[in-house]
Amino acid sequence: MSYAAVHEDDHHDHKPTGIGRWLFSTNHKDIGTMYLVFALIMFFVGGAMAMVIRAELFQPGLQYVDPQFFNSMTTIHALVMIFGALMPAGVGLANWMIPMMIGAPDMAMPRMNNMSFWILPFAFTLLLSTFFMQGGAPAAGWTMYPPLVLQMGDGFPFLIFAIHFLGLSSIMGAINIIATVFNMRAPHMGFMKLPLFVWTWIITAFLLIAAMPVFAGAVTMLLTDKYFGTAFFDAAGGGDPVMFQHLFWFFGHPEVYIVALPAFGMVSDVLATHARKNIFGYRMMVWAILAIGGLSFVVWAHHMYVSGMNPYFGFFFATTTLIIAIPTALKVYNWVLTLWQGNIHLRVPMLFAIAFIFTFVHGGLTGLFLGNVVVDLPLSDTYFVVAHFHMVMGVSPVLVVFASIYHWFPKMSGRMFNETLGRWHFWLTFLGTYSIYLPMHYLGFLGVPRRYYAMGTTDFIPESAQTLNATMTIAAIIVALAQLIFLYNMVISLRNGKKSGPNPWGATTLEWQTPDTPPKHGNWGDELPVVHRWPYDYSVPGEEQDFTPQTVPASEVPVGRDHGVTHG
């Protein structure tokens, strides 16, 4: 059977219009766009919740919302930002770019791709509907520790079912990505010729398949504890609440890399393109990605030093935390060495990519503090943890997502964005976020506890801490307004932006070589590209070359893993 015959399906030929295009689309680019739009909506929803939190903390005492609602804001804000904004943004970019990066016409399972997206709006409808139920929305932190989370009202099962649907969507998307990359690469697109963005998504997909079922099982045990009389986490019935923490963080730490690894791939491709230089140490970067994926499952309990677990475990998990820092630091060295002596073009995507390196290094160094048992004990559950978590899991991935959207926007839309507005967006976002989270580290050293709805001056919280708290709220307002600049830039650029041409950055990866910009259904028409060059083949910095790939008729390419591909 030919490669073309497998994809000789209606979804490549007909061009549905109106709402039908989005409801029933199996085109990976339309589905990627829906993921990105959904992520943007959730980004603003989660951001609005963050503004409620910051408004309440602007002055000492109770200001605008009651304590229960404040705790709900902190809980739902985290769930929305992680599962509704960051993960769908990464999946959206993967949907858009991976088929084109490997020379494929679409994802391997287009209909499942459509289904995996439409599960998301349904899941978040369940989650957000808990605000209108007896007992209110979840208010036990995004970690959902028992016994506190078991005190929820009628919204509890809706929380659990929402998590199950989110996990189902993630696993379906992961299977699709694995099947696509393993079976649909263009001729001679070996694994060691894949862009690093594709490599990071291969490992991320396996992490999702391995970690999400653990989380699903843990929250199902919560459900049975509350409604069916079990006592998995009830000490009075012989259970162990700390066991839930082990199960959660066995999922939770790979989840950090489920968000971070795609960001590593995005920033690698953006840096190589805008530095006009091969990525430094490509093969070592690949091995570092594999090492990070494997080690992410053996460091989970560094989140639990104060939980009451066996103290001898602390030595093991502190050691593995230091070990996983090695391949992570290796990637930072490679990014910096890619920039070294490169022909750097400081356009908006490059500004966001370089800002990511600063932010990620900062967040990673503070993680070493928390990975050490002795240092972690006084810092646990303080604002230092909040600052570290947001620098690594919040600010850094968001900066890379912005870098990637600006980088691939010309290919997606066929138009250029407004560079001046993009620079305003960058500087307000970058400096604003640092104005929020740098002071938080200081508050943590002072011992200011997190998740407190009222933070007045006490014997151990000096007046200067409250001054910083007010300053952080003002910075948060500035950052929020900066995102409106981004939204305005995208809207006006889609309508009136200058035509971009097929490859405005002079990039060498395959997605920029499609015959049309924006790419049509099937990406490559009747001929698929044949890959004979390294994906980052910049010769002399600044020298423009013709990167048009050779092609072969799609009907001549056999289906399967061995479709004329050289592996490595």
Side-chain angles (χ1 to χ4, degrees):
M1 185 183 291
S2 73
Y3 193 88
V6 171
H7 292 277
E8 196 175 350
D9 207 345
D10 288 344
H11 68 274
H12 286 310
D13 298 324
H14 80 287
K15 295 178 175 58
T17 59
I19 194 171
R21 171 184 175 183
W22 306 105
L23 286 175
F24 308 113
S25 176
T26 51
N27 177 10
H28 72 98
K29 295 177 289 293
D30 286 347
I31 295 171
T33 299
M34 289 193 292
Y35 267 110
L36 290 172
V37 171
F38 179 80
L40 184 63
I41 293 171
M42 289 293 104
F43 179 64
F44 280 104
V45 170
M49 294 176 180
M51 296 311 298
V52 172
I53 295 168
R54 293 311 320 171
E56 180 59 43
L57 295 174
F58 184 64
Q59 294 293 334
L62 195 62
Q63 302 293 315
Y64 304 107
V65 297
D66 63 73
Q68 169 74 19
F69 190 77
F70 179 88
N71 290 334
S72 294
M73 286 287 99
T74 59
T75 301
I76 302 297
H77 162 74
L79 293 173
V80 166
M81 284 300 203
I82 294 170
F83 297 105
L86 291 174
M87 289 177 66
V91 176
L93 289 166
N95 260 283
W96 247 102
M97 295 302 154
I98 285 179
M100 295 192 294
M101 282 181 165
I102 66 174
D106 207 324
M107 298 292 281
M109 291 169 273
R111 289 177 178 81
M112 190 170 82
N113 199 21
N114 174 281
M115 190 183 304
S116 67
F117 168 76
W118 282 110
I119 289 173
L120 284 180
F122 177 70
F124 276 95
T125 300
L126 288 180
L127 179 63
L128 297 177
S129 68
T130 58
F131 279 106
F132 307 100
M133 297 179 185
Q134 176 92 24
W142 80 284
T143 53
M144 293 170 283
Y145 285 171
L148 184 58
V149 73
L150 297 174
Q151 299 171 19
M152 274 186 64
D154 295 342
F156 181 77
F158 289 84
L159 167 67
I160 304 304
F161 292 143
I163 290 170
H164 276 293
F165 282 116
L166 291 172
L168 178 63
S169 172
S170 297
I171 291 173
M172 290 169 66
I175 292 171
N176 214 345
I177 287 171
I178 292 170
T180 301
V181 176
F182 275 66
N183 294 302
M184 297 181 65
R185 302 188 309 283
H188 304 295
M189 174 62 88
F191 276 102
M192 282 299 172
K193 292 182 180 178
L194 292 174
L196 288 173
F197 180 60
V198 180
W199 260 113
T200 54
W201 257 110
I202 294 173
I203 305 306
T204 299
F206 280 108
L207 292 183
L208 281 165
I209 293 171
M212 291 304 297
V214 176
F215 190 30
V219 296
T220 302
M221 293 157 76
L222 284 176
L223 191 73
T224 60
D225 271 11
K226 185 170 177 69
Y227 292 109
F228 297 100
T230 60
F232 291 111
F233 310 122
D234 182 3
D240 183 6
V242 175
M243 182 171 72
F244 179 85
Q245 295 189 33
H246 281 288
L247 292 172
F248 178 88
W249 287 113
F250 186 81
F251 149 80
H253 204 82
E255 173 65 21
V256 171
Y257 292 103
I258 287 167
V259 172
L261 280 176
F264 295 168
M266 295 177 212
V267 78
S268 299
D269 288 347
V270 172
L271 288 172
T273 298
H274 294 273
R276 310 301 305 151
K277 187 180 174 185
N278 301 352
I279 195 75
F280 184 89
Y282 172 88
R283 288 177 179 268
M284 193 55 65
M285 291 282 270
V286 172
W287 287 111
I289 293 165
L290 291 166
I292 290 169
L295 290 169
S296 67
F297 285 100
V298 293
V299 297
W300 78 87
H302 67 208
H303 298 270
M304 299 171 53
Y305 291 148
V306 296
S307 68
M309 69 176 183
N310 190 316
Y312 289 104
F313 288 169
F315 171 77
F316 172 80
F317 288 106
T319 303
T320 55
T321 301
L322 293 174
I323 292 172
I324 200 173
I326 296 171
T328 307
L330 179 67
K331 302 186 76 61
V332 175
Y333 295 144
N334 285 20
W335 293 326
V336 173
L337 290 170
T338 300
L339 295 174
W340 181 255
Q341 294 187 336
N343 183 15
I344 298 172
H345 295 191
L346 284 177
R347 294 169 288 218
V348 174
M350 190 62 148
L351 290 174
F352 275 102
I354 293 173
F356 162 81
I357 297 176
F358 277 103
T359 309
F360 184 74
V361 168
H362 184 174
L365 290 175
T366 58
L368 294 178
F369 282 65
L370 298 174
N372 183 294
V373 180
V374 176
V375 181
D376 178 74
L377 292 179
L379 293 177
S380 184
D381 286 321
T382 69
Y383 263 89
F384 190 92
V385 177
V386 179
H388 160 73
F389 182 83
H390 279 81
M391 292 295 274
V392 173
M393 275 284 283
V395 179
S396 296
V398 167
L399 290 175
V400 178
V401 169
F402 283 136
S404 303
I405 291 173
Y406 282 115
H407 176 68
W408 281 307
F409 182 81
K411 194 65 187 178
M412 293 176 175
S413 65
R415 295 184 180 273
M416 296 299 295
F417 54 85
N418 184 296
E419 184 81 14
T420 302
L421 289 176
R423 288 176 183 274
W424 273 103
H425 174 224
F426 166 73
W427 286 112
L428 289 174
T429 301
F430 179 58
L431 297 179
T433 51
Y434 260 83
S435 300
I436 298 169
Y437 297 112
L438 272 182
M440 277 193 189
H441 292 89
Y442 174 68
L443 296 184
F445 280 126
L446 293 177
V448 178
R450 60 177 175 169
R451 298 177 182 169
Y452 274 39
Y453 71 91
M455 198 180 301
T457 301
T458 66
D459 291 338
F460 68 96
I461 301 179
E463 187 176 350
S464 61
Q466 184 54 49
T467 304
L468 286 176
N469 218 17
T471 304
M472 288 188 290
T473 298
I474 295 170
I477 295 171
I478 294 172
V479 171
L481 294 175
Q483 309 323 305
L484 299 179
I485 298 176
F486 167 77
L487 187 61
Y488 176 72
N489 193 358
M490 294 298 103
V491 172
I492 65 165
S493 298
L494 280 171
R495 298 182 61 181
N496 304 313
K498 184 177 71 173
K499 293 291 182 65
S500 66
N503 190 359
W505 312 129
T508 64
T509 42
L510 205 56
E511 75 272 19
W512 295 97
Q513 318 308 328
T514 57
D516 303 293
T517 301
K520 294 181 179 178
H521 283 231
N523 299 331
W524 306 99
D526 295 328
E527 295 185 326
L528 297 177
V530 179
V531 179
H532 290 297
R533 63 171 69 249
W534 195 254
Y536 303 102
D537 192 16
Y538 300 97
S539 56
V540 179
E543 178 182 315
E544 299 300 332
Q545 302 179 48
D546 179 15
F547 298 115
T548 305
Q550 297 180 359
T551 57
V552 64
S555 59
E556 297 179 10
V557 181
V559 172
R561 186 174 173 189
D562 298 320
H563 55 280
V565 175
T566 57
H567 297 278

